[in-house]
């Protein structure tokens, strides 16, 4: 028997396919997973590629110019896939989600009229409803970029599918810091923290499904101030301690932090909670006080140094990663030299560095005294050279140490397993698949590009130890 496309849709709803392409930060990865869960609940199957899918969602990033340019080129490419789908009698709905959707709204439809849905990060819970409307009314484009008053977190699916032994867990959204270069306060809205009970509940559910490590997510995660079961606001340090009490949860991480929100309780948690990994992503952006002030960072280079010193006093094996911007408007050679000086003094195990790009609507985009692109590039190259050398030196310093490894999955070769060190380095060891989900100590023997190789020292679950 043959089906017309319409009959197929009506009688076999389970065969619809969705492809989600995710750009940008871990928050977007998390959001895409949640969208996928609500769509599989509607009978969609995940498709690894856009070709032939009934729904393609681009979950976009607007943080830097290049990130949003990529979205428009992908939309151009998808036009052809849409045409091929239409030629077979089908329809490929196209949705743009995430921060480009939030920032550009209707403008996306002007530039890419084949898009059906545009929706910002605050409206994901309305996806099933928007989709039903788009399916009913082909050609009726919808743009949803409100910041609704209702609590977005209430709509997260309660029962998460779990893939592997590590998981992200959103605890906070949005940012009130308004760094002058940054679009996040405009695309993600103001800070909101999830209540403690909801987070502990989700963490317990994840742990029951085999998760051993959670990474707490938020655009400004250490500004966390959720309501606790006692009716008072809890900070991140207190939340971390409560999470560490969950049986089976071996490792806790959090990202991304702001130096201003590294309060003493959180710093103490680094010294006192073994499950809190000694690896912290703490963006500094610049080492020049003049530039930090123009960026509205509200901290100085010395504030940053002091925070690092306090963290290392309590946890000497703590390693840091950071974000840097070169060529912010008005940045002089001296300002840049101050950045290099800070990098040399602090020492970073890994880092992300970017050329400044003006983002529409941000205060810095109106600043005069732009730095020529060639200068931005030269500075970026010099900074990256230094940061790469520090990363390599850090990785090499792990050789000869005994590190606890959370075994995650089989490696590329038979009999090999891959896990992560406390510092997120991949570590390859010989071992069997039943080790997955266990923390084992390994003697680190060599480094190949960014991966460590070592030998397991025991078959017992180890307690996390410092790698001094
Ligand atoms: N130009 C360059 N880099 C930027 N970032 C954010 N906005 C911009 C911009 N306009 C960088 C910051 C931030 C990271 C996520 O992206 O370093 O910490
Ligand atoms: Fe953007 Fe981070 Fe500054 Fe917030 S704290 S405005 S997210 S750079």
């Amino acid at each position: 028997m043959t089906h017309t496309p319409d009959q197929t849709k009506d009688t076999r709803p389970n065969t619809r396919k969705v492809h989600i392409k995710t750009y940008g930060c871990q928050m977007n990865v998390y959001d895409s997973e949640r969208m996928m869960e609500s769509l599989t609940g509607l009978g969609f199957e995940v498709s690894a590629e856009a070709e032939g899918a009934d729904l393609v969602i681009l979950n976009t990033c607007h943080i830097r110019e290049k990130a949003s340019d990529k979205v428009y080129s992908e939309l151009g490419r998808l036009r052809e896939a849409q045409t091929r789908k239409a030629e077979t009698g089908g329809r490929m709905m196209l949705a743009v989600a995430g921060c480009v959707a939030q920032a550009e709204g209707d403008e996306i439809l002007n530039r890419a009229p084949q898009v059906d849905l545009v929706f910002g990060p605050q409206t994901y819970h309305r996806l099933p409803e928007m989709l039903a409307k788009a399916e009913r009314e082909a050609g009726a484009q919808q743009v949803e970029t409100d910041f609704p008053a209702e609590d977005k977190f209430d709509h997260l699916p309660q029962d998460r599918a779990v893939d592997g032994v590590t998981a992200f867990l959103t605890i906070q959204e949005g940012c009130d810091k308004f760094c002058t270069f940054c679009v996040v306060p405009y695309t993600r809205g103001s800070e909101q923290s999830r209540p403690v009970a909801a987070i502990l509940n989700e963490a317990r559910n994840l742990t029951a499904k085999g998760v051993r490590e959670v990474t707490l997510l938020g655009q400004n995660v250490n500004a966390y101030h959720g309501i606790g079961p006692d009716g008072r606001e809890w900070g991140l340090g207190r939340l971390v301690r409560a999470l560490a009490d969950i049986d089976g949860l071996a490792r806790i991480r959090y990202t991304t932090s702001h130096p201003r929100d590294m309060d003493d309780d959180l710093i103490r948690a680094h010294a006192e909670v073994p499950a809190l990994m000694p690896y912290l992503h703490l963006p500094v952006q610049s080492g020049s006080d003049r530039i930090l002030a123009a960026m509205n960072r509200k901290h100085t280079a010395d504030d940053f140094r002091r925070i690092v010193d306090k963290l290392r006093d309590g946890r000497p094996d703590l390693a840091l990663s950071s974000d840097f911007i070169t060529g912010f408007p008005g940045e002089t050679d001296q300002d840049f030299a101050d950045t290099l000086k800070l990098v040399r003094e602090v020492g970073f195990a890994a880092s992300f560095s970017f050329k400044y790009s003006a983002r529409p609507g941000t205060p810095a985009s109106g600043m005069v005294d732009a730095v020529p692109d060639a200068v931005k590039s030269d500075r970026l190259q010099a900074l990256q050279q230094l940061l790469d050398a520090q990363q390599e030196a850090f990785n090499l310093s792990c050789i000869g140490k005994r590190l606890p490894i959370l075994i995650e999955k089989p490696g590329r070769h038979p009999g090999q397993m891959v896990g992560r060190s406390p510092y997120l380095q991949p570590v390859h060891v010989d071992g069997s698949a039943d080790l997955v989900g266990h923390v084992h100590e390994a003697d680190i023997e060599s480094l190949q590009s960014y991966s460590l190789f070592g030998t397991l020292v025991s078959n017992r679950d180890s307690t996390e130890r410092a790698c001094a």
Side-chain angles (χ1 to χ4, degrees), residues 97-152:
C99 294
V100 174
Q102 185 65 43
E104 303 201 358
D106 287 329
E107 177 59 23
I108 295 175
L109 300 181
N110 292 339
R111 286 180 68 173
Q114 84 276 25
V115 170
D116 298 281
L117 289 176
V118 176
F119 54 101
Q122 309 298 317
T123 59
Y124 291 163
H125 53 282
R126 280 155 59 188
L127 178 57
E129 188 191 313
M130 290 186 269
L131 209 54
K133 190 166 172 217
E135 283 183 322
R136 270 197 319 272
E137 305 167 28
Q141 294 162 318
Q142 298 169 67
V143 179
E144 295 276 353
T145 51
D146 288 347
F147 286 111
E150 74 225 64
D151 184 352
K152 169 180 177 202

Side-chain angles (χ1 to χ4, degrees), residues 382-461:
L383 177 62
Q384 287 184 340
Q385 229 168 36
L386 175 59
L387 292 167
D388 286 350
Q390 289 194 337
Q391 178 164 17
E392 166 121 34
F394 177 77
N395 286 340
L396 285 170
S397 78
C398 293
I399 296 175
K401 284 184 180 151
R402 184 166 284 187
L403 295 181
I405 311 301
L406 171 59
I407 311 285
E408 290 186 3
K409 58 187 180 197
R412 239 184 289 148
H413 306 296
Q416 194 185 50
M417 302 299 294
V418 191
R420 296 259 174 190
S421 74
Y423 310 107
L424 279 180
Q425 299 139 308
V427 184
H428 301 256
V429 291
D430 284 342
S432 55
D434 58 349
L435 299 179
V436 168
H438 292 267
V439 178
H440 283 280
E441 291 195 322
D443 286 330
I444 305 300
E445 285 145 4
S446 63
L447 170 73
Q448 270 175 41
S449 63
Y450 297 97
S451 289
L452 298 173
F453 290 76
T455 302
L456 293 179
V457 282
S458 81
N459 268 346
R460 282 173 299 110
D461 237 21

Side-chain angles (χ1 to χ4, degrees), residues 268-284:
R268 267 196 309 276
H270 276 277
E272 294 167 6
V273 180
L276 186 56
M277 289 295 93
Y279 187 46
L280 177 62
H281 183 61
L282 193 60
V284 63

Side-chain angles (χ1 to χ4, degrees), residues 101-409:
Q102 185 65 43
E104 303 201 358
D106 287 329
E107 177 59 23
I108 295 175
L109 300 181
N110 292 339
R111 286 180 68 173
Q114 84 276 25
V115 170
D116 298 281
L117 289 176
V118 176
F119 54 101
Q122 309 298 317
T123 59
Y124 291 163
H125 53 282
R126 280 155 59 188
L127 178 57
E129 188 191 313
M130 290 186 269
L131 209 54
K133 190 166 172 217
E135 283 183 322
R136 270 197 319 272
E137 305 167 28
Q141 294 162 318
Q142 298 169 67
V143 179
E144 295 276 353
T145 51
D146 288 347
F147 286 111
E150 74 225 64
D151 184 352
K152 169 180 177 202
F153 300 125
D154 288 349
H155 301 275
L156 293 175
Q158 293 303 306
D159 196 21
R160 286 179 57 181
V162 160
D163 178 22
V165 297
T166 62
F168 292 128
L169 203 174
T170 289
I171 65 164
Q172 180 276 345
E173 269 248 16
C175 182
D176 293 337
K177 294 284 185 296
F178 290 93
C179 299
T180 52
F181 53 81
C182 184
V183 287
V184 167
Y186 311 98
T187 56
R188 290 280 177 165
S190 61
E191 271 178 23
Q192 271 189 48
S193 293
R194 250 177 120 180
V196 171
I199 295 166
L200 294 180
N201 214 10
E202 185 166 346
R204 279 191 209 101
N205 282 339
L206 290 169
T207 314
K209 290 176 181 166
V211 167
R212 304 293 317 277
E213 170 180 309
V214 291
T215 301
L216 309 176
L217 290 185
Q219 268 90 31
N220 201 170
V221 72
N222 59 341
Y224 177 79
H225 56 104
I227 294 293
D230 52 2
R232 292 167 187 243
E233 281 193 354
W234 286 29
L236 184 58
R238 193 161 177 201
L239 178 70
V240 162
R241 288 170 207 271
L243 284 163
D245 283 341
I246 295 177
D247 264 354
L249 189 56
R251 292 181 163 190
I252 301 168
R253 306 177 186 277
Y254 60 91
T255 197
T256 289
S257 298
H258 192 292
R260 269 181 68 85
D261 294 312
M262 287 309 302
D263 63 31
D264 285 344
D265 188 45
L266 182 55
I267 292 174
R268 267 196 309 276
H270 276 277
E272 294 167 6
V273 180
L276 186 56
M277 289 295 93
Y279 187 46
L280 177 62
H281 183 61
L282 193 60
V284 63
Q285 314 296 357
S286 169
S288 152
D289 289 346
R290 228 173 52 78
I291 295 299
L292 288 168
M295 288 176 164
N296 191 32
R297 291 288 293 178
K298 300 200 177 78
H299 64 80
T300 62
D302 277 349
D303 292 336
F304 187 83
R305 289 182 180 93
R306 271 191 292 273
I307 293 164
V308 171
D309 286 348
K310 272 204 229 172
L311 281 160
R312 286 179 170 157
D313 276 351
R315 188 83 210 223
D317 60 325
L318 183 109
L320 288 158
S321 65
S322 197
D323 291 344
F324 298 88
I325 297 177
T326 63
F328 186 81
E331 186 188 68
T332 62
D333 284 343
Q334 182 56 52
D335 293 320
F336 180 62
D338 290 345
T339 299
L340 295 179
K341 180 165 177 278
L342 179 85
V343 171
R344 280 195 201 96
E345 284 166 9
V346 173
F348 294 92
S351 279
F352 302 92
S353 42
F354 314 98
K355 272 198 289 188
Y356 170 73
S357 63
R359 309 308 292 126
T362 58
S365 68
M367 287 180 187
V368 287
D369 216 2
V371 173
D373 195 58
V375 177
K376 282 186 204 169
S377 299
D378 286 351
R379 289 180 187 162
L380 185 67
Q381 212 188 351
L383 177 62
Q384 287 184 340
Q385 229 168 36
L386 175 59
L387 292 167
D388 286 350
Q390 289 194 337
Q391 178 164 17
E392 166 121 34
F394 177 77
N395 286 340
L396 285 170
S397 78
C398 293
I399 296 175
K401 284 184 180 151
R402 184 166 284 187
L403 295 181
I405 311 301
L406 171 59
I407 311 285
E408 290 186 3
K409 58 187 180 197

